[in-house]
Amino acid sequence: MPLYVSAHTTACLTKQALKGLMTNLLESDELKVRRCVSSQIGGRMLTEIEAPDRPALEKFFQAHFLNCEWIMRIDLDARDGTVVEY
């Protein structure tokens, strides 16, 4: 399944609210949320999600009331000396 990274504005959310949002996304059965990282001070969150296509991902974010700044489909992933193609 294609892999996407997205950026979101989370300004004015408390740490508890951010944890709740991240937990809600991770527990979702709709799409496979691999990872979420956020900065309360920076007011931003990044997500790494497996989705069949961009429209499905956009629908997922709308359903979770998550403001999306940008979405990028990942074609290559390099880590630990290995490059993986998606």
Side-chain angles (χ1 to χ4, degrees):
M1 183 158 319
L3 180 63
Y4 294 86
V5 172
S6 58
H8 309 273
T9 302
T10 59
C12 301
L13 290 180
T14 64
K15 191 175 281 188
Q16 287 177 320
L18 276 171
K19 284 181 180 180
L21 174 60
M22 294 168 78
T23 300
N24 187 28
L25 293 173
L26 290 167
E27 292 176 347
S28 173
D29 293 333
E30 302 163 65
L31 299 176
K32 170 70 173 153
V33 179
R34 287 185 173 188
R35 185 173 182 209
C36 296
V37 294
S38 68
S39 169
Q40 183 182 15
I41 294 172
R44 300 282 191 273
M45 180 171 69
L46 300 175
T47 64
E48 184 177 317
I49 301 177
E50 294 177 20
D53 53 34
R54 186 182 176 112
L57 184 56
E58 290 172 347
K59 184 177 176 182
F60 174 78
F61 290 141
Q62 288 176 351
H64 289 273
F65 305 102
L66 194 53
N67 178 30
C68 189
E69 290 183 31
W70 53 261
I71 297 172
M72 180 176 70
R73 181 175 169 154
I74 303 301
D75 298 313
L76 298 170
D77 184 2
R79 66 175 89 181
D80 299 325
T82 303
V83 178
V84 177
E85 186 173 340
Y86 290 96

